[in-house]
Amino acid sequence: MASRIRTNARRLALLAALALAAAAPSFAQELPAAPPAAAAASPPAPVPWSSLSPEQQRLLGPMGNQWGSLPPERQQSLAHGSERWLGMSPEQRGQARERFSHWQSLPPEQRRALHDRWQRFQSLPPQEQEAVRQNYHRFQQLPPAQRQMLRQQWRNATPEQRQQMVQRAREQRQKRTMMPPHGGPHPPPKRP
């Protein structure tokens, strides 16, 4: 169980690191406080307790007395989270409990840093988020020795070297997306 917690912690840290690595140039500039679309949107609407399903109310029971005094953002977050929880299998719930326990055991500054990275990841356009996910899955498929070597290279790199590494990865990704299916050669350009 302890090894699973360590593995999950490593995955979380790696995902956060990869999210930052893949989007490092995007973060070179200051991120806006909120996306422009969010600024124009109306404030979130409260979620009435009566709109929750009986299962959600049972799950969120301890919050029932104070539900009306919670900010609408928190109500929406809790309602969404309870929906997700109720849709999970027992195994998924167990994994979620382990991740939450690990999260709580982290020092506050590490939790803040990981939360900030997650928010930056969430602020990326969907296309870049998907690229980060694909890179993460590709990384997970590498042999353990190669993953360790790449982690060490990343740790030892200067910020400039890291940006170069990210740029090379982006260029490689662009080349892969430009290749036709089945890895065949590109058709010759048409002449006018």
Side-chain angles (χ1 to χ4, degrees), residues 86-114:
L86 292 168
M88 290 181 181
S89 70
E91 181 180 286
Q92 290 171 321
R93 288 180 184 180
Q95 291 172 348
R97 281 186 188 104
E98 285 179 23
R99 285 192 300 267
F100 184 69
S101 291
H102 178 262
W103 174 259
Q104 287 182 313
S105 71
L106 294 174
E109 60 277 356
Q110 191 175 357
R111 283 197 308 237
R112 234 182 335 275
L114 288 172

Side-chain angles (χ1 to χ4, degrees), residues 172-183:
Q172 289 174 352
R173 186 176 69 242
Q174 285 176 342
K175 285 179 186 177
R176 279 193 303 271
T177 58
M178 293 179 74
M179 296 216 34
H182 311 297

